[in-house]
Each structure stands twice: as C-alpha cells, then as structure tokens.
C-alpha cells in the first residue's frame, strides 16, 4: 500500500527546467546545505535539495521512517523531473538514496553516496540517540558553533559553517537554541540507521566516497562488499581525506565525482 505523503519543502538550484540531480542531506541537516556545491561548483545543473521529513521547513508529522521519505522523494522526482535523476546522498541521505534506488529504480539513473550511514550497529545508534536526547540544545550560537568546529565540521570553511547556523539554528521557547528539527523524529531516525542495507538495481552506476577521517567510520566493509559484489564494474569506491561533511569540506572534488557520473566532464 502506498504511503500517504506530505510534500517536501525543497530548494531549487541551477537553470529552470526538469531536475537532473536530487541531493539528499544527512540526519539533523537541511536542503540548503547543498547551496554552495550547486551554485558555485555545479551551476549548469538543475538540482532539487529537499528538507527531509522532520527537518527544516518540511512537515514534521510522523511517520519518521526511511520508507516515508522514499515515498515523498519519489513524488518529488515524479513532479520535478522528466526521467530518472542522479541521486546524491550524504550520510543518512545515502541510506535513503539506496532505499529509493531499490524501491523506485526507474527514477534513479545513478547514485553518489557521500560517506553514507547505513546498516550500522544498533547499540552504537542507541548511544548516539541517548547523547542527543540528554543534550538537545545550546546556551547560545557560540556554543553551537564550537560544537561543530570541534567535531565533524572541523575542516569545513568558517563561512560555510556560519551560513549553516544562519539557516538552521533557531531560538527555542525555553530561551535556548537548537536546530530546526523535530527531536522525536531524530530519535526514530537513529534507529532507522540500523536497518539492513538496501541494494540498488543491478546496473545502477554507483560511486561511494569514503571520508578517511571519520572516526569511528560510518562506511563499513560490509557495505562496500555488498555493493561491490552486487554491482560489480558499476561500483566505484573513492577515498577523500576529510571529516564526515564531505560535500561541504570537499565541494570541488565532490563536483568532479558528480560530473563524471553525469558524463559532463
């Protein structure tokens, strides 16, 4: 039975016309994170960058599942494209990209998976969810900025970080500051990251970019082995010397990968 979906708020970049690239952000993120990559490095391509369910300006209504996002993204592609699109997914967005490709193969021409997070250990996900629930907000903007600078955003440009804070950090009713996200949705999504790995249809060109400095790594040997064994010559593994925020730390290099997938170099 098809899920009833809410339309996703999405950002459009590039020329008018049918969407060529669907860009899917990671857990706790938002679609505007693709602004620099799209406008500076890939300006000739039409990009749709949605806020996932429970994120940003999209609906925060349940269900908060990969399947609900796949249904909403499929509707977006059907409405905005005139054929299959290249799907670029970062982190949790990589997991959703794989499930979209498995469920709706005719909508996906290829996959670029940027340090994807999928098929992860359930106990690890419980620990991350517990930590987020125990400390969900910040005293002020400086505290939020420091947390990012000392974590996975350490190698992202300060200007990019400040733009993210401008878009995504909001004042809360309790006088503190937090991300423009639904906390209950985030708790559900940490569990979704422990789901089994989905495989795209055979013949789907797929490039996985592994961030070498992510510790502990999100990209498992199991994921690499499954994709390699399933896709064969259609699978490519690349290593980037960066932290987890691949498209923001390495936008020029990421754009080259995307151009190669589109045959545009």
């Amino acid at each position: 039975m098809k899920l009833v979906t809410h339309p996703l708020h999405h950002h459009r970049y590039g020329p008018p016309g049918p969407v060529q690239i669907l860009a899917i952000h990671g857990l706790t993120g938002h679609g505007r994170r693709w602004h620099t990559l799209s406008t500076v490095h890939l300006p000739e391509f039409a990009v749709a960058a949605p806020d996932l369910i429970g994120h940003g300006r999209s609906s925060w209504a349940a269900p908060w599942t990969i399947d609900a996002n796949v249904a909403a993204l499929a509707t977006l592609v059907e409405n905005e494209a005139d054929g299959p699109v290249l799907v670029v997914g970062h982190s949790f967005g990589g997991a959703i990209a794989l499930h979209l490709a498995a469920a709706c193969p005719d909508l996906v021409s290829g996959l670029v998976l940027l340090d994807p997070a999928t098929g992860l250990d359930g106990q690890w996900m419980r620990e991350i969810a517990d930590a987020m629930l125990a400390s969900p907000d910040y005293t002020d903007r400086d505290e939020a900025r420091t947390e990012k600078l000392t974590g996975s955003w350490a190698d992202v440009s300060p200007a990019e970080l400040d733009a993210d804070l401008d878009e995504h950090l909001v004042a809360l009713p309790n006088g503190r500051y937090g991300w423009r996200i639904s906390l209950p949705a985030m708790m559900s999504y940490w569990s979704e990251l422990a789901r089994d790995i989905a495989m795209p249809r055979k013949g789907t060109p797929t490039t996985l970019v592994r961030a070498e400095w992510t510790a502990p790594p999100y990209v498992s040997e199991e994921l690499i082995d499954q994709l390699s064994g399933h896709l064969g010559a259609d699978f490519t593994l690349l290593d980037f010397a960066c932290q987890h925020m691949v498209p923001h730390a390495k936008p020029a290099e990421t754009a080259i990968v995307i151009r190669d997938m589109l045959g545009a170099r």
Side-chain angles (χ1 to χ4, degrees), residues 150-205:
T150 57
S152 60
W153 286 67
D155 54 349
V156 177
S157 75
E160 194 75 10
L161 174 53
D162 285 331
D164 193 75
L165 293 167
D166 290 343
E167 167 67 18
H168 202 39
L169 192 70
V170 295
L172 302 176
N174 63 3
R176 292 172 65 82
Y177 290 82
W179 308 119
R180 197 192 302 270
I181 55 173
S182 162
L183 188 60
M186 301 308 108
M187 295 300 103
S188 179
Y189 288 143
W190 288 119
S191 175
E192 289 287 275
L193 289 183
R195 284 180 56 171
D196 290 343
I197 298 166
M199 287 291 108
R201 180 168 61 187
K202 287 190 176 183
T204 303

Side-chain angles (χ1 to χ4, degrees), residues 31-256:
R32 198 180 183 282
R33 284 189 176 167
W34 300 99
H35 178 270
T36 298
L37 179 65
S38 300
T39 61
V40 176
H41 300 278
L42 298 166
E44 72 272 35
F45 296 106
V47 179
D51 297 338
L52 295 173
I53 297 169
H55 294 78
R57 293 175 170 84
S58 285
S59 171
W60 289 13
W64 305 304
T65 63
I66 287 176
D67 296 334
N69 281 283
V70 164
L73 290 168
T75 298
L76 176 62
V77 173
E78 289 166 352
N79 290 339
E80 299 290 334
D82 62 2
V85 298
L86 178 67
V87 181
V88 181
H90 171 241
S91 193
F92 178 50
I96 294 176
L98 284 167
H99 281 270
L100 177 63
C104 308
D106 292 339
L107 298 181
V108 178
S109 63
L111 295 170
V112 175
L113 308 173
L114 304 172
D115 216 31
T118 185
L120 301 180
D121 176 71
Q123 178 60 31
W124 182 23
M125 294 304 97
R126 182 246 168 125
E127 291 167 2
I128 294 175
D130 281 347
M132 185 177 188
L133 190 60
S135 183
D137 51 29
Y138 308 94
T139 302
D140 52 27
R141 180 185 174 102
D142 285 344
E143 185 181 6
R145 192 175 194 276
T146 298
E147 182 187 75
K148 284 187 175 291
L149 273 176
T150 57
S152 60
W153 286 67
D155 54 349
V156 177
S157 75
E160 194 75 10
L161 174 53
D162 285 331
D164 193 75
L165 293 167
D166 290 343
E167 167 67 18
H168 202 39
L169 192 70
V170 295
L172 302 176
N174 63 3
R176 292 172 65 82
Y177 290 82
W179 308 119
R180 197 192 302 270
I181 55 173
S182 162
L183 188 60
M186 301 308 108
M187 295 300 103
S188 179
Y189 288 143
W190 288 119
S191 175
E192 289 287 275
L193 289 183
R195 284 180 56 171
D196 290 343
I197 298 166
M199 287 291 108
R201 180 168 61 187
K202 287 190 176 183
T204 303
T206 300
T207 295
L208 189 157
V209 176
R210 178 171 52 185
E212 293 182 298
W213 300 348
T214 301
Y218 287 123
V219 176
S220 65
E221 292 301 323
E222 178 187 5
L223 174 60
I224 294 169
D225 289 346
Q226 285 194 31
L227 286 169
S228 178
H230 180 70
L231 295 172
D234 291 310
F235 175 68
T236 301
L237 174 66
L238 300 174
D239 286 321
F240 281 11
C242 64
Q243 300 276 4
H244 180 56
M245 303 305 294
V246 176
H248 318 299
K250 298 287 187 179
E253 294 85 346
T254 300
I256 289 172

